[in-house]
Amino acid sequence: MSLSKRVSNWFSERLGLNDLPFFKTPDYMYHVNEWLGALVAASFIYTVISGLILLLYYNAAAGYQSTETIINQIPYGSVVLYSHLYGSYAMIILAYVHMFRNYFAGAYKKPRELLWILGVLMLVLTLGASFLGYSLIGDALAVSAVDVGAGIITSIPQLSFLIPIIFGNYDTGDYTRVLALHIILVALIGLLFVFHFFLAESYGMMPSRKVKPKAPAVYTKEEWSKFNPWWPRNFVYMSSLIFMTWGFILAIPNALAYLNGLPQYFNPFMNPKPAPPPNSPAAAHITTYPPWFFLFLYKIADFTSDVVVFLMIGVIIPLVYLIILPFIDRSDELHPLRRKVFTGIGILMITYLIQTSLWGDLAPGVEVSVKDQVVAYLIPAIIVALGLTFIKPMNDQMKLTRGISPMTGILFVIVSLLFAGSVVQLIDYPNLFTFAITAFMGSLFFLGSKTMGKLVLSQRIPNNAVPEVKTAEVSASNETKKKFAEILMSVLFILVVIIVAQMWTIPPTGYASNLFGVDLGLVFLMLGEVISLYHYVVYKKPIEKEE
Amino acid sequence: MGLKIRLGNGERRVLKSSDLYFIQKLLKTMRNPKTRFDSREFLEKGQDYLFNYVGKNVGGIDEGRRNFLKGIVIGVAAATVVGVIPGLRVLVPPVEQVSGFPKSLLLDSSGNPLKASSIPVNSPIITLYEYPLTGEPNFLLNLGDKNGNPVSISPVEVVVPQTGKTYKFPGGVGPNNSIVSYSAICQHLGCTPPYIHFYPPNYVGPSQLTAPEPDTLTAQALLAAKQADIPALIHCDCHGSTYDPYKGGAVLTGPTQRPLPTVLLEYDSSTDYLYAIGALGVATYPEGADGVPSQDPTKDLDTSQYGSSVGDKTQVQASTNPFSGS
Ligand code: FES
């Protein structure tokens, strides 16, 4: 036995890696689609680590100044700070994706109701923690966001006792409480995550709909004991995903730090730098807007002057709906088109979320008449209702050969809606940004319709390929792909070494220091990619059936 | 190793050793009763079964190739670790040791040079700037008389009660020679604003005896101010130390044993700008036990780990007025 084998055996014996009660994974589940939770967890872990580093320097008594000190004087402080910000951004986006994916897949159904509810609570905590974290910067935007938040709370007399509990002496520039609550909420997320994770492990990943089309969708112990063990294939696959997530979190904001003079409407989404301090004259020249993940709430606040109504529309109704969802959708159908009402509501939630956020970005704080509200929100609702009435659940057999999943179908519906929504926005606010969005959505729509067109077209052409022949082709091309993957791995190795050598020369502070973040992000991306290629070459089987 | 075949002059490899290894492993697996190759199923399902079988039992990959790939993955991972190492410098706080006092231009809160003539006289608002190190607050005061007219502050000899020694305070600067600057760290136990702050004339009176912290004046402080015949004073609410802003921050009442250190200001009358150029008095960062100063400010600064040098510019910040009742 080789030394490395002996070492790894020693560890797996001591750690009991082979008998960990972790769920085993069937071959067909090695797609990012099935691992969205791992992505959320990866960004959570990254954000916690970078946050702990920031905690070494952040001074709650002087929020803005210590933020500036971290950016300008701490070695690679801006790299850590910007990636901390984008780690939380990634976590929010991925949490939404993870949630809606499971929403459409029906993953909240028996036996996963509790898992779902825990997830929704974690989303709320994440948004809360992000809001507090954003406030810690203490720049003009953060202060105004807190003012808006505090204003909403104060306008309900029964709730104003919460203000000192949440914000403490914020007004005098003391962020101690905000910082403490930020950490407390994150700790709560961590706690719930442990439950969420172990519940998920004990139910197992949700089987493909082709395997178990009805709830409760679980593999029996007998079935899953035959799958790939957690160690090493799952581990390898998971690490590739984690490193890639970290790579993006590091590379994107540090690259964006070099973008200057963004138009105002890009600022909430793309600018990792703090705004001027609230007491400076420069603060008077900036439009205040909340962090992007609360833009939708900010816009809803323009709809009504009644805070209770606002809270109902913006927070309580969607939240309560999501929490009680497993109990109102009681059918055992998992196919989204066999749960048309819930699918429709889900699509509308996504559409409204994006639509309202963009609206808040384009016209922050501009009041909206009831008529405009009705127009803006009724159109998507009508499109969804009509669309869902006419789409029939596709024949499962058909999809197997065509490779278009219902997810693709739904995605297409969403894209069409977004396209329609953006056209409305373009008419309302004809400017470059709306045009760009419309063009982008339009091209997605175009691509989608081409794919869907193919599907419709090929349905008429009889498929007379013999399965055996196909299999051989698949595996032959598989081998070529594996060869290619190996070459790619060697190339990436060389690239990583070059980049790392360069990284050692980057100054720790000043203008160039963010290059370090970009490079480190690239290195993580390549590490993730190399591991993923390794997984492909070593573990990928010629045919991975949906058993 | 491996199998070779002779073709004319050249040798050609037919099978690599890894291929041989693979075949050997495959044959062994096929013979193994636990994983026996089912030839009947093979006839039925053809290649499909074979591929699956190999994939499941032998692995499509031979050992040598797998090790090579593992090597690359480990190599990239190792390179990543090497790449992270310089980033660990983030854990080392930047300590910039200061060997002397920088000449720092005072900026107002929006980042423009501060105009000396715009500083309000006897302002109850605490105006602070960091110098010579970050995190190191100093008062900036424009002193006046009871009626709010600026008074010229003349040079004076300041006594350090702790040592009995004296040093020369150079007086005020600015258009009326009325601007002075002192460290805002109480020399008793180090309280900072708002606990230590300036009391303008209308707050130096008996009503302040019962004011809530941090606005209380002690009876001693009031008495001392009367005896020294000064309208305003600097007072620390922590334990009641009082300082005389008109006479170089000298001690009016204890428990402090040391005057407030002076920050030396330079006034440029052509631009109306102010510069901080040094400090005077006992050390702001006394070395050794009990805060006994070494009498050498430069030396004391050298050993300070408080912050980094503010450099050639430092910004003035106005904290809110602690007199909340007013
Ligand atoms: S610290 Fe100021 S009087 Fe004691």
Side-chain angles (χ1 to χ4, degrees):
Chain A
M1 230 195 295
S2 73
L3 180 67
S4 68
K5 245 263 153 49
R6 281 218 306 271
V7 171
S8 79
N9 278 351
W10 189 89
F11 272 108
S12 49
E13 241 175 67
R14 297 300 175 283
L15 299 172
L17 287 182
N18 289 321
D19 2 278
L20 279 182
F22 289 154
F23 185 70
K24 300 185 171 189
T25 313
D27 289 342
Y28 69 89
M29 279 195 187
Y30 293 97
H31 295 291
V32 90
N33 211 2
E34 313 275 349
W35 292 78
L36 290 166
L39 299 191
V40 185
S43 31
F44 177 66
I45 292 166
Y46 184 89
T47 314
V48 167
I49 295 174
S50 54
L52 290 175
I53 296 175
L54 292 175
L55 195 56
L56 295 175
Y57 294 109
Y58 183 75
N59 170 11
Y64 186 77
Q65 279 126 285
S66 61
T67 307
E68 285 287 299
T69 309
I70 289 171
I71 292 175
N72 297 320
Q73 273 158 34
I74 307 297
Y76 302 119
S78 59
V79 173
V80 179
L81 182 66
Y82 296 164
S83 59
H84 181 71
L85 176 72
Y86 269 63
S88 64
Y89 284 3
M91 191 177 160
I92 296 170
I93 296 171
L94 291 168
Y96 273 127
V97 174
H98 177 51
M99 180 180 87
F100 279 113
R101 186 261 173 199
N102 286 331
Y103 181 98
F104 292 120
Y108 52 81
K109 295 195 173 218
K110 198 179 165 204
R112 297 186 175 78
E113 299 96 328
L114 194 56
L115 193 59
W116 169 264
I117 293 172
L118 280 177
V120 175
L121 294 181
M122 282 159 79
L123 177 72
V124 175
L125 287 175
T126 304
L127 289 175
S130 307
F131 180 74
L132 292 170
Y134 178 92
S135 312
L136 288 175
I137 307 167
D139 63 359
L141 294 183
V143 171
S144 92
V146 171
D147 288 346
V148 172
I152 290 171
I153 300 177
T154 0
S155 47
I156 305 174
Q158 293 86 343
L159 289 185
S160 25
F161 73 92
L162 284 172
I163 296 284
I165 294 181
I166 300 176
F167 298 117
N169 269 332
Y170 188 91
D171 280 349
T172 61
D174 178 357
Y175 297 79
T176 312
R177 232 173 218 259
V178 183
L179 176 64
L181 273 180
H182 178 64
I183 297 171
I184 290 171
L185 289 196
V186 173
L188 275 179
I189 297 173
L191 192 69
L192 291 193
F193 170 72
V194 172
F195 283 115
H196 192 78
F197 178 77
F198 280 102
L199 273 185
E201 284 296 335
S202 69
Y203 300 138
M205 284 170 132
M206 195 160 123
S208 153
R209 216 162 26 243
K210 283 149 222 156
V211 187
K212 315 252 172 193
K214 302 258 161 148
V218 275
Y219 281 115
T220 59
K221 177 100 182 154
E222 227 169 33
E223 283 169 305
W224 74 259
S225 56
K226 277 184 262 160
F227 297 152
N228 298 300
W230 181 80
W231 177 268
R233 189 174 175 183
N234 267 12
F235 181 78
V236 168
Y237 189 74
M238 196 179 63
S239 6
S240 82
L241 291 178
I242 290 176
F243 289 129
M244 282 203 229
T245 312
W246 290 4
F248 281 116
I249 289 173
L250 270 159
I252 294 175
N254 283 294
L256 287 177
Y258 289 104
L259 272 186
N260 265 327
L262 285 174
Q264 143 86 35
Y265 36 75
F266 280 133
N267 258 332
F269 304 103
M270 303 180 75
N271 192 356
K273 293 178 196 164
N279 52 3
S280 77
H285 299 296
I286 51 175
T287 323
T288 53
Y289 43 77
W292 63 264
F293 47 87
F294 274 151
L295 271 174
F296 77 99
L297 274 185
Y298 191 55
K299 193 66 215 170
I300 296 175
D302 293 336
F303 292 172
T304 163
S305 51
D306 188 335
V307 182
V308 178
V309 175
F310 156 76
L311 282 180
M312 283 311 240
I313 306 174
V315 185
I316 296 168
I317 293 179
L319 201 60
V320 169
Y321 168 73
L322 285 176
I323 288 179
I324 62 171
L325 174 67
F327 310 106
I328 44 179
D329 181 9
R330 302 193 66 99
S331 74
D332 58 359
E333 291 291 354
L334 292 176
H335 196 296
L337 290 177
R338 294 204 169 90
R339 307 178 274 132
K340 281 186 177 173
V341 174
F342 297 99
T343 305
I345 296 177
I347 296 174
L348 279 179
M349 281 177 103
I350 298 177
T351 317
Y352 287 164
L353 186 64
I354 298 177
Q355 186 188 5
T356 319
S357 300
L358 287 178
W359 202 353
D361 180 46
L362 291 170
V366 178
E367 273 183 36
V368 184
S369 72
V370 177
K371 199 189 113 227
D372 283 353
Q373 293 169 31
V374 172
V375 173
Y377 292 97
L378 204 57
I379 294 177
I382 292 172
I383 300 178
V384 170
L386 286 180
L388 283 175
T389 322
F390 293 115
I391 299 178
K392 289 254 145 51
M394 282 174 275
N395 183 341
D396 278 354
Q397 206 47 49
M398 214 52 168
K399 275 172 315 189
L400 250 174
T401 46
R402 287 295 132 233
I404 286 190
S405 67
M407 270 310 281
T408 323
I410 292 201
L411 255 167
F412 178 65
V413 177
I414 295 169
V415 165
S416 331
L417 286 172
L418 287 177
F419 180 45
S422 58
V423 170
V424 174
Q425 296 281 305
L426 176 64
I427 295 166
D428 269 4
Y429 307 97
N431 64 26
L432 244 174
F433 181 59
T434 41
F435 179 74
I437 296 265
T438 314
F440 174 62
M441 292 299 170
S443 45
L444 278 185
F445 177 76
F446 177 65
L447 286 178
S449 42
K450 256 174 78 180
T451 323
M452 300 306 267
K454 243 187 244 154
L455 169 75
V456 175
L457 209 67
S458 53
Q459 266 175 338
R460 292 192 209 116
I461 301 166
N463 178 6
N464 38 17
V466 189
E468 274 82 0
V469 178
K470 256 191 115 186
T471 316
E473 263 171 24
V474 166
S475 54
S477 72
N478 226 21
E479 271 312 302
T480 341
K481 275 195 207 154
K482 287 189 175 183
K483 276 265 142 50
F484 179 68
E486 283 174 37
I487 297 169
L488 202 58
M489 284 173 75
S490 316
V491 173
L492 285 175
F493 177 56
I494 297 167
L495 268 179
V496 164
V497 170
I498 295 173
I499 292 184
V500 164
Q502 195 243 326
M503 277 164 73
W504 277 70
T505 65
I506 296 176
T509 51
Y511 185 74
S513 67
N514 287 108
L515 275 181
F516 184 83
V518 177
D519 281 353
L520 190 60
L522 289 179
V523 168
F524 271 126
L525 274 177
M526 288 195 264
L527 175 60
E529 184 58 30
V530 164
I531 297 178
S532 148
L533 289 171
Y534 176 82
H535 171 264
Y536 182 81
V537 177
V538 174
Y539 296 108
K540 182 93 174 159
K541 295 173 188 164
I543 316 138
E544 304 206 311
K545 281 217 182 102
E546 316 216 5
E547 344 178 29
Chain B
M1 262 232 351
L3 206 65
K4 283 168 196 159
I5 195 170
R6 184 147 259 167
L7 263 182
N9 292 336
E11 249 185 12
R12 267 193 68 180
R13 220 180 220 203
V14 186
L15 280 173
K16 282 188 281 177
S17 48
S18 54
D19 296 338
L20 282 176
Y21 175 85
F22 176 75
I23 293 174
Q24 191 194 4
K25 194 171 170 195
L26 178 62
L27 288 177
K28 223 164 97 193
T29 327
M30 287 171 87
R31 264 185 264 121
N32 187 339
K34 260 202 226 153
T35 52
R36 188 181 286 286
F37 187 73
D38 190 339
S39 41
R40 213 175 305 145
E41 212 173 325
F42 176 54
L43 283 180
E44 255 171 53
K45 294 185 185 163
Q47 253 161 329
D48 208 355
Y49 174 71
L50 181 64
F51 277 120
N52 242 337
Y53 178 83
V54 173
K56 215 179 224 157
N57 296 308
V58 191
I61 285 272
D62 64 69
E63 204 73 5
R65 207 167 136 202
R66 188 194 290 248
N67 278 340
F68 170 70
L69 296 179
K70 250 189 209 167
I72 291 190
V73 172
I74 293 173
V76 175
T80 309
V81 172
V82 172
V84 170
I85 290 173
L88 292 182
R89 264 186 279 177
V90 72
L91 299 176
V92 183
V95 177
E96 234 179 275
Q97 301 229 323
V98 184
S99 53
F101 292 98
K103 178 170 176 175
S104 294
L105 173 64
L106 299 195
L107 306 177
D108 63 21
S109 58
S110 52
N112 303 314
L114 179 75
K115 299 273 189 193
S117 46
S118 70
I119 304 173
V121 177
N122 280 347
S123 169
I125 294 180
I126 306 172
T127 309
L128 299 171
Y129 63 94
E130 296 179 319
Y131 182 88
L133 303 178
T134 54
E136 183 44 39
N138 301 285
F139 293 118
L140 185 65
L141 304 170
N142 193 357
L143 296 175
D145 58 18
K146 267 198 199 65
N147 309 317
N149 300 317
V151 294
S152 172
I153 308 296
S154 28
V156 69
E157 211 53 38
V158 181
V159 185
V160 183
Q162 187 179 30
T163 56
K165 297 198 170 146
T166 60
Y167 61 90
K168 182 132 177 123
F169 170 73
V173 298
N176 304 304
N177 288 330
S178 58
I179 299 171
V180 292
S181 177
Y182 303 108
S183 164
I185 302 178
C186 181
Q187 287 290 305
H188 174 228
L189 285 177
C191 276
T192 50
Y195 296 104
I196 178 171
H197 67 96
F198 179 68
Y199 286 66
N202 50 330
Y203 289 100
V204 182
S207 63
Q208 230 49 46
L209 290 171
T210 52
E213 245 185 81
D215 300 339
T216 332
L217 273 183
T218 57
Q220 284 154 286
L222 275 181
L223 183 70
K226 197 164 196 170
Q227 281 167 357
D229 191 25
I230 46 168
L233 45 80
I234 292 173
H235 181 79
C236 177
D237 244 28
C238 288
H239 317 90
S241 297
T242 318
Y243 303 89
D244 183 346
Y246 298 85
K247 303 238 167 49
V251 178
L252 280 175
T253 70
T256 181
Q257 297 253 47
R258 298 189 290 274
L260 281 181
T262 300
V263 176
L264 292 172
L265 296 177
E266 188 180 286
Y267 176 60
D268 182 344
S269 54
S270 59
T271 52
D272 200 23
Y273 294 171
L274 286 169
Y275 298 86
I277 53 168
L280 193 68
V282 295
T284 317
Y285 314 93
E287 201 181 3
D290 252 358
V292 177
S294 70
Q295 299 290 319
D296 178 1
T298 311
K299 190 167 166 243
D300 290 331
L301 271 178
D302 258 348
T303 56
S304 161
Q305 303 243 321
Y306 204 87
S308 50
S309 169
V310 295
D312 59 359
K313 281 178 189 116
T314 181
Q315 205 161 34
V316 167
Q317 272 134 21
S319 289
T320 24
N321 177 2
F323 303 104
S324 44
S326 60

